[in-house]
Amino acid sequence: QAQILETGGGVVQAGGSLSLSCTASTSEIRFSNYCMGWFRQAPGKEREFVAAIDWSGSATYYAETVKGRFTISRDKDKNTAYLQMNSLKPEDTAVYFCAAGDPMGFYDSSTYYSDSPYESWGQGTQVTVSS
């Protein structure tokens, strides 16, 4: 399983932007072999899907709550996935998790929205949006 590190969280005012990064903990792990996803969990709530990107980078998926504000991308040369978050709202406050999964587990587009095909998870990074 890939070991994942998320960075880039912090505190921002409503309307502001943050960019999260997701890297492998060792250079031996190539994210180009994985589908990548971002999930989040707010206090007292269940973890929810935010965005995902397929292994090739040609297909992206977003939760309705973030569509048009967040952008997921990947840089295979840098072995990194990103989540650009714009127009942040207080309800975006949560711990954000990056996850990776073998493409074989993503048999259709609906599977990207579930956490079950993702095999490796980071520890999460806190994003706090103040009003």
Side-chain angles (χ1 to χ4, degrees):
Q1 293 184 342
Q3 302 301 310
I4 295 173
L5 300 173
E6 306 102 332
T7 58
V11 180
V12 64
Q13 288 189 332
S17 299
L18 279 176
S19 181
L20 305 183
S21 297
C22 173
T23 60
S25 59
T26 73
S27 60
E28 296 176 353
I29 299 168
R30 302 304 306 175
F31 275 171
S32 60
N33 297 329
Y34 295 87
C35 298
M36 305 298 298
W38 287 96
F39 290 75
R40 68 186 181 186
Q41 187 168 20
K45 295 187 177 181
E46 293 188 354
R47 186 169 60 192
E48 64 176 6
F49 170 80
V50 176
I53 188 167
D54 75 345
W55 70 272
S56 68
S58 62
T60 57
Y61 308 87
Y62 296 95
E64 286 298 322
T65 53
V66 306
K67 194 173 291 184
R69 299 188 297 122
F70 290 12
T71 302
I72 188 171
S73 61
R74 65 190 307 159
D75 186 328
K76 292 185 177 182
D77 291 337
K78 294 183 178 180
N79 206 26
T80 301
Y82 305 95
L83 184 68
Q84 177 64 40
M85 305 184 294
N86 299 327
S87 302
L88 283 161
K89 305 175 181 179
E91 51 264 43
D92 294 319
T93 295
V95 177
Y96 283 70
F97 299 90
C98 180
D102 189 310
M104 293 295 290
F106 297 80
Y107 50 86
D108 64 32
S109 60
S110 67
T111 55
Y112 285 88
Y113 298 85
S114 169
D115 58 5
S116 59
Y118 297 91
E119 304 162 316
S120 301
W121 293 80
Q123 293 299 308
T125 185
Q126 177 70 46
V127 172
T128 302
V129 185
S130 62
S131 57

mmCIF file of all heavy atoms in Angstrom, residues 1 13-14 16 34 37 52 58 71 73 85 110 113 116 123-124 126-127:
data_model
loop_
_atom_site.group_PDB
_atom_site.id
_atom_site.type_symbol
_atom_site.label_atom_id
_atom_site.label_comp_id
_atom_site.label_asym_id
_atom_site.label_seq_id
_atom_site.Cartn_x
_atom_site.Cartn_y
_atom_site.Cartn_z
ATOM 1 N N GLN A 1 0.836 -1.182 0.000
ATOM 2 C CA GLN A 1 0.000 0.000 0.000
ATOM 3 C C GLN A 1 0.877 1.241 0.000
ATOM 4 O O GLN A 1 1.939 1.273 0.591
ATOM 5 C CB GLN A 1 -0.900 0.025 1.238
ATOM 6 C CG GLN A 1 -1.948 -1.069 1.260
ATOM 7 C CD GLN A 1 -2.859 -0.936 2.457
ATOM 8 O OE1 GLN A 1 -2.517 -0.256 3.412
ATOM 9 N NE2 GLN A 1 -3.992 -1.578 2.428
ATOM 10 N N GLN A 13 -9.942 32.807 5.703
ATOM 11 C CA GLN A 13 -11.239 33.460 5.820
ATOM 12 C C GLN A 13 -12.169 32.998 4.701
ATOM 13 O O GLN A 13 -11.714 32.585 3.622
ATOM 14 C CB GLN A 13 -11.079 34.971 5.770
ATOM 15 C CG GLN A 13 -10.447 35.567 7.014
ATOM 16 C CD GLN A 13 -10.496 37.072 7.013
ATOM 17 O OE1 GLN A 13 -10.513 37.711 5.967
ATOM 18 N NE2 GLN A 13 -10.511 37.671 8.204
ATOM 19 N N ALA A 14 -13.452 33.085 4.964
ATOM 20 C CA ALA A 14 -14.437 32.735 3.946
ATOM 21 C C ALA A 14 -14.173 33.543 2.673
ATOM 22 O O ALA A 14 -13.879 34.732 2.736
ATOM 23 C CB ALA A 14 -15.840 32.988 4.464
ATOM 24 N N GLY A 16 -11.704 32.823 0.707
ATOM 25 C CA GLY A 16 -10.305 32.641 0.391
ATOM 26 C C GLY A 16 -10.022 31.314 -0.289
ATOM 27 O O GLY A 16 -10.943 30.557 -0.624
ATOM 28 N N TYR A 34 -2.074 4.854 -9.662
ATOM 29 C CA TYR A 34 -3.225 4.867 -8.771
ATOM 30 C C TYR A 34 -4.282 5.889 -9.209
ATOM 31 O O TYR A 34 -3.964 6.913 -9.801
ATOM 32 C CB TYR A 34 -2.796 5.234 -7.355
ATOM 33 C CG TYR A 34 -1.888 4.229 -6.689
ATOM 34 C CD1 TYR A 34 -0.516 4.305 -6.866
ATOM 35 C CD2 TYR A 34 -2.408 3.238 -5.879
ATOM 36 C CE1 TYR A 34 0.326 3.390 -6.251
ATOM 37 C CE2 TYR A 34 -1.573 2.322 -5.265
ATOM 38 C CZ TYR A 34 -0.209 2.408 -5.447
ATOM 39 O OH TYR A 34 0.606 1.499 -4.839
ATOM 40 N N GLY A 37 -8.060 10.241 -4.699
ATOM 41 C CA GLY A 37 -9.276 10.907 -4.233
ATOM 42 C C GLY A 37 -9.010 11.771 -3.026
ATOM 43 O O GLY A 37 -8.025 11.584 -2.297
ATOM 44 N N ALA A 52 -12.122 13.352 -7.031
ATOM 45 C CA ALA A 52 -11.286 12.229 -7.430
ATOM 46 C C ALA A 52 -10.794 12.427 -8.854
ATOM 47 O O ALA A 52 -11.386 13.184 -9.640
ATOM 48 C CB ALA A 52 -12.050 10.911 -7.325
ATOM 49 N N SER A 58 -7.342 11.999 -16.968
ATOM 50 C CA SER A 58 -8.277 12.454 -17.990
ATOM 51 C C SER A 58 -9.698 12.596 -17.476
ATOM 52 O O SER A 58 -10.527 13.227 -18.144
ATOM 53 C CB SER A 58 -8.259 11.490 -19.176
ATOM 54 O OG SER A 58 -8.683 10.204 -18.769
ATOM 55 N N THR A 71 -10.747 22.144 -7.511
ATOM 56 C CA THR A 71 -10.174 21.492 -8.688
ATOM 57 C C THR A 71 -9.137 20.469 -8.247
ATOM 58 O O THR A 71 -8.205 20.809 -7.519
ATOM 59 C CB THR A 71 -9.509 22.506 -9.624
ATOM 60 O OG1 THR A 71 -10.467 23.492 -10.026
ATOM 61 C CG2 THR A 71 -8.973 21.804 -10.871
ATOM 62 N N SER A 73 -6.174 17.788 -9.406
ATOM 63 C CA SER A 73 -5.236 17.592 -10.513
ATOM 64 C C SER A 73 -4.114 16.689 -10.036
ATOM 65 O O SER A 73 -4.018 16.368 -8.857
ATOM 66 C CB SER A 73 -4.677 18.931 -11.001
ATOM 67 O OG SER A 73 -3.979 19.590 -9.975
ATOM 68 N N MET A 85 -8.626 24.721 -3.713
ATOM 69 C CA MET A 85 -9.915 25.070 -3.128
ATOM 70 C C MET A 85 -10.085 26.580 -3.163
ATOM 71 O O MET A 85 -9.304 27.303 -2.532
ATOM 72 C CB MET A 85 -9.995 24.551 -1.696
ATOM 73 C CG MET A 85 -9.725 23.054 -1.580
ATOM 74 S SD MET A 85 -9.929 22.422 0.094
ATOM 75 C CE MET A 85 -8.601 23.276 0.930
ATOM 76 N N SER A 110 -19.139 5.577 -10.762
ATOM 77 C CA SER A 110 -19.766 5.699 -9.443
ATOM 78 C C SER A 110 -18.844 5.266 -8.316
ATOM 79 O O SER A 110 -18.971 5.736 -7.181
ATOM 80 C CB SER A 110 -21.053 4.875 -9.401
ATOM 81 O OG SER A 110 -20.769 3.493 -9.490
ATOM 82 N N TYR A 113 -16.790 7.787 -6.003
ATOM 83 C CA TYR A 113 -17.443 8.535 -4.942
ATOM 84 C C TYR A 113 -17.506 7.778 -3.623
ATOM 85 O O TYR A 113 -17.848 8.359 -2.592
ATOM 86 C CB TYR A 113 -18.862 8.904 -5.372
ATOM 87 C CG TYR A 113 -18.920 9.800 -6.587
ATOM 88 C CD1 TYR A 113 -18.870 9.271 -7.873
ATOM 89 C CD2 TYR A 113 -19.045 11.179 -6.454
ATOM 90 C CE1 TYR A 113 -18.910 10.096 -8.991
ATOM 91 C CE2 TYR A 113 -19.101 12.013 -7.562
ATOM 92 C CZ TYR A 113 -19.038 11.455 -8.827
ATOM 93 O OH TYR A 113 -19.073 12.276 -9.924
ATOM 94 N N SER A 116 -14.623 2.870 -0.492
ATOM 95 C CA SER A 116 -14.217 1.466 -0.439
ATOM 96 C C SER A 116 -13.105 1.063 -1.415
ATOM 97 O O SER A 116 -12.273 0.235 -1.053
ATOM 98 C CB SER A 116 -15.431 0.555 -0.633
ATOM 99 O OG SER A 116 -16.060 0.815 -1.872
ATOM 100 N N GLN A 123 -2.987 10.729 6.757
ATOM 101 C CA GLN A 123 -3.429 11.042 8.112
ATOM 102 C C GLN A 123 -4.372 12.239 8.142
ATOM 103 O O GLN A 123 -5.041 12.473 9.151
ATOM 104 C CB GLN A 123 -2.214 11.308 9.004
ATOM 105 C CG GLN A 123 -1.358 10.076 9.227
ATOM 106 C CD GLN A 123 -2.117 8.973 9.921
ATOM 107 O OE1 GLN A 123 -2.728 9.178 10.962
ATOM 108 N NE2 GLN A 123 -2.104 7.786 9.338
ATOM 109 N N GLY A 124 -4.393 12.991 7.068
ATOM 110 C CA GLY A 124 -5.298 14.131 6.991
ATOM 111 C C GLY A 124 -4.624 15.446 7.318
ATOM 112 O O GLY A 124 -3.608 15.493 8.026
ATOM 113 N N GLN A 126 -5.826 19.558 8.412
ATOM 114 C CA GLN A 126 -6.959 20.369 8.868
ATOM 115 C C GLN A 126 -7.123 21.611 7.995
ATOM 116 O O GLN A 126 -6.165 22.339 7.750
ATOM 117 C CB GLN A 126 -6.760 20.787 10.315
ATOM 118 C CG GLN A 126 -7.844 21.702 10.868
ATOM 119 C CD GLN A 126 -9.171 20.996 11.064
ATOM 120 O OE1 GLN A 126 -9.224 19.890 11.612
ATOM 121 N NE2 GLN A 126 -10.263 21.628 10.615
ATOM 122 N N VAL A 127 -8.346 21.838 7.570
ATOM 123 C CA VAL A 127 -8.717 23.066 6.874
ATOM 124 C C VAL A 127 -9.802 23.749 7.695
ATOM 125 O O VAL A 127 -10.825 23.140 7.988
ATOM 126 C CB VAL A 127 -9.230 22.774 5.452
ATOM 127 C CG1 VAL A 127 -9.807 24.035 4.815
ATOM 128 C CG2 VAL A 127 -8.110 22.210 4.590
#
